[in-house]
């Protein structure tokens, strides 16, 4: 767990990530590059749904074999199509790979059950707290400065138009007002999330950012010694904590260096600028 695979094969070369260069990682990479190229070529040459479905099934089968990897970074093959046809190719790639496309690179996020459970708990809590004008979503596609992102949890107010929700790339779905990422406490996953915030923040002056860092180890977090105690607002630390779990919060309009860090403890919560809270217990319960 907690590994990033970067680079591609063929003319791009192959490189391991996080100091890892095992044949297992390289084989994963080769398979993904092969199917990505096959997908792009088939969509350009033949748009029949049965062909796309066939490739989707093959890619999904390969992804199910991947273990101990959090993020896979690949350089996109050259796509000849332009305009809406090119955007349609991107949307199909997203549907297949559950990916982000940034500066012609494909970032495939392989979230396990633990992360997925945190996403669901945070989203459900926000739904209960925010007014009906808000839309919260997990892994929804949005556009920032020509790139295609998928926040782990996003909150929009008002919600994007129907055509932006159905075809978010073609119709330029805007970034959320609340952007939450969940990452493991390793350099690959953690740095990817921070770099993402650094990249998009100048183009999202009204967006509030939250990064949740959880341990990459399989050791369970200690259970709550005072269950049922009323939660109190967490106090920020002078510096980023050295050990997970912890959380970073960047208020809307602030640059990344202004991020405030919180050590996650039982019976604490973060007060968000949007008017909702993130209950640390919701996250810590997943880790126990």
């Amino acid at each position: 767990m907690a590994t990033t695979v970067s680079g591609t094969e063929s003319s791009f070369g192959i490189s391991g990530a996080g100091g890892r260069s095992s044949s297992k990682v390289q084989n994963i990479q080769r398979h993904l590059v092969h199917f990505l190229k096959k997908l792009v070529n088939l969509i350009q040459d033949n748009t029949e749904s049965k062909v796309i479905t066939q490739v989707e099934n093959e890619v999904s089968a390969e992804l199910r074999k991947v273990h101990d990897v959090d993020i896979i970074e690949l350089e996109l093959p050259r796509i000849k199509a332009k305009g809406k046809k090119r955007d349609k190719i991107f949307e199909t790639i997203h549907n297949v790979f559950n990916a982000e496309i940034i500066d012609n690179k494909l970032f495939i996020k392989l979230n396990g059950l633990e992360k997925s459970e945190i996403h669901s708990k945070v989203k459900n809590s926000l739904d209960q707290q925010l007014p009906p004008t808000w839309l919260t979503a997990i892994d929804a596609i949005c556009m920032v400065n020509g790139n295609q992102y998928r926040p782990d949890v996003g909150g929009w107010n008002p919600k994007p138009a129907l055509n932006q929700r159905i075809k978010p790339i073609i119709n330029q779905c805007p970034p959320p007002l609340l952007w939450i990422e969940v990452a493991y406490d390793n350099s690959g996953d953690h740095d990817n999330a921070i770099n993402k915030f650094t990249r998009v923040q100048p183009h999202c002056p009204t967006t509030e950012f939250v990064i949740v860092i959880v341990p990459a180890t399989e050791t369970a977090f200690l259970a709550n010694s005072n269950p049922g105690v009323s939660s109190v607002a967490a106090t920020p630390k002078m510096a980023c904590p050295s050990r997970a779990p912890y959380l970073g919060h960047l208020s809307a309009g602030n640059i990344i260096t202004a991020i405030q860090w919180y050590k996650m403890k039982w019976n604490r919560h973060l007060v968000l600028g949007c008017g909702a809270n993130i209950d640390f217990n919701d996250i810590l319960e997943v880790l126990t």
Side-chain angles (χ1 to χ4, degrees):
M1 188 164 55
T3 307
T4 303
V5 180
S6 62
T8 57
E9 75 170 327
S10 188
S11 59
F12 305 112
I14 293 180
S15 63
R20 192 170 175 147
S21 58
S22 68
S23 59
K24 176 181 177 182
V25 171
Q26 292 181 355
N27 286 335
I28 291 170
Q29 196 170 337
R30 289 190 183 97
H31 283 305
L32 289 170
V33 173
H34 169 73
F35 285 118
L36 177 59
K37 289 180 177 179
K38 183 177 178 182
L39 172 65
V40 172
N41 290 336
L42 282 173
I43 295 175
Q44 290 179 158
D45 298 337
N46 189 337
T47 58
E48 293 183 10
S49 60
K50 64 180 182 181
V51 176
I52 296 174
T53 300
Q54 176 185 348
V55 179
E56 286 178 345
N57 291 337
E58 291 176 337
V59 172
S60 297
E62 290 302 318
L63 289 177
R64 283 195 293 269
K65 300 175 184 177
V66 175
H67 299 287
D68 301 327
V69 177
D70 299 318
I71 302 169
I72 297 174
E73 178 185 340
L74 300 172
E75 190 125 1
L76 273 174
R78 187 168 65 92
I79 300 176
K80 299 177 182 178
K82 298 183 182 300
K84 287 189 175 181
K85 186 174 182 181
R86 179 182 177 90
D87 290 340
K88 184 178 179 182
I89 292 172
F90 282 144
E91 289 192 344
T92 304
I93 291 173
H94 278 282
N95 291 336
V96 174
F97 286 96
N98 188 30
E100 295 179 307
I101 299 177
I102 305 168
D103 290 346
N104 210 43
K105 289 185 178 181
L106 187 76
F107 293 83
I108 303 172
K109 298 188 292 186
L110 304 175
N111 293 324
L113 183 59
E114 182 181 63
K115 279 189 183 181
S116 297
E117 189 176 357
I118 292 173
H119 300 164
S120 296
K121 281 181 173 287
V122 171
K123 179 192 180 302
N124 292 341
S125 177
L126 292 172
D127 284 340
Q128 295 173 21
Q129 299 177 68
L130 293 171
T133 54
W134 280 77
L135 169 70
T136 61
I138 295 172
D139 209 30
I141 300 170
C142 67
M143 301 291 294
V144 181
N145 194 32
N147 290 316
Q148 305 156 23
Y149 294 91
R150 304 180 78 130
D152 286 338
V153 181
W156 286 260
N157 185 31
K159 67 182 180 181
L162 179 61
N163 65 342
Q164 292 174 323
R165 304 197 305 273
I166 294 175
K167 295 184 177 180
I169 297 173
I170 293 175
N171 297 306
Q172 299 285 303
C173 181
L177 293 182
L178 176 61
W179 189 319
I180 301 172
E181 295 285 334
V182 180
Y184 287 114
D185 63 340
N186 65 83
S187 59
D189 210 14
H190 174 279
D191 291 354
N192 179 71
I194 292 294
N195 291 341
K196 186 185 305 183
F197 286 174
T198 302
R199 181 186 294 269
V200 303
Q201 189 280 330
H203 307 283
C204 305
T206 59
T207 296
E208 179 177 16
F209 296 92
V210 176
I211 179 171
V212 178
I213 305 296
V214 296
T217 66
E218 298 178 4
T219 303
F221 192 74
L222 293 177
N224 191 348
S225 59
N226 294 296
V229 172
S230 297
S231 179
V232 298
T235 303
K237 299 295 182 182
M238 296 297 293
C240 178
S242 59
R243 297 183 63 182
Y246 57 89
L247 179 150
H249 176 233
L250 186 65
S251 300
N254 285 340
I255 60 176
I256 193 68
T257 54
I259 192 168
Q260 291 188 307
W261 297 101
Y262 298 82
K263 182 67 177 177
M264 298 186 65
K265 298 180 180 180
W266 290 107
N267 309 320
R268 301 287 192 277
H269 62 266
L270 171 68
V271 181
L272 298 171
C274 65
N277 296 333
I278 292 183
D279 191 339
F280 293 177
N281 286 12
D282 286 342
I283 298 169
L284 297 178
E285 286 170 358
V286 177
L287 306 179
T288 56

